[in-house]
Amino acid sequence: MQITGVKIAVIYGSAVVRGVIKAENGTLPPETRFQVQVNNNAGELPMMFRPIVVDTRGRFLIESLPVGTHELVVVPIVPGATAPPRRVQQQITVTEGENDVTIVIDLESPENPTRP
């Protein structure tokens, strides 16, 4: 038996993204936690990254990311919330080496991710 038409793609990434999530116009409930997901541009091969856990200070680190444009999706986790939290999306351009990113969550916005 022969298998044909299979393509394997390997994407090498050496860039690092150091990020922080900051709240504006209010304070988050102390039990709020976040995860960050990495998506690539539409039409490109999907990347397989596990969600990155954000520490209690709102900081996260993504390693081995390919250079290019990516979308970070911040997923708030609010224990006891009656509605699923809204995700916050931010497009970033990653260059070789270390990249710093700040994601701001406006708590007065009607799209506030922690509002029920």
Side-chain angles (χ1 to χ4, degrees):
M1 177 168 147
Q2 278 188 321
I3 298 176
T4 60
V6 176
K7 294 181 182 180
I8 297 175
V10 177
I11 299 172
Y12 175 75
S14 61
V16 173
V17 173
R18 293 183 189 280
V20 64
I21 298 172
K22 293 188 176 184
E24 285 186 348
N25 301 316
T27 55
L28 292 165
E31 66 276 3
T32 303
R33 299 291 177 255
F34 296 95
Q35 288 185 345
V36 176
Q37 299 171 346
V38 180
N39 296 331
N40 63 339
N41 284 334
E44 293 181 12
L45 295 171
M47 294 187 308
M48 304 303 277
F49 277 94
R50 290 184 178 165
I52 291 86
V53 177
V54 179
D55 72 14
T56 56
R57 298 176 300 159
R59 300 182 184 278
F60 61 92
L61 178 70
I62 305 169
E63 297 179 297
S64 303
L65 196 60
V67 169
T69 302
H70 305 285
E71 179 183 62
L72 297 183
V73 180
V74 178
V75 180
I77 301 165
V78 185
T82 56
R86 290 191 176 103
R87 296 168 178 230
V88 176
Q89 300 175 343
Q90 181 170 319
Q91 191 171 23
I92 63 169
T93 300
V94 176
T95 59
E96 194 64 40
E98 292 193 14
N99 300 262
D100 294 319
V101 173
T102 300
I103 299 173
V104 177
I105 298 173
D106 185 352
L107 298 175
E108 288 186 354
S109 167
E111 292 157 2
N112 170 16
T114 60
R115 285 190 182 168

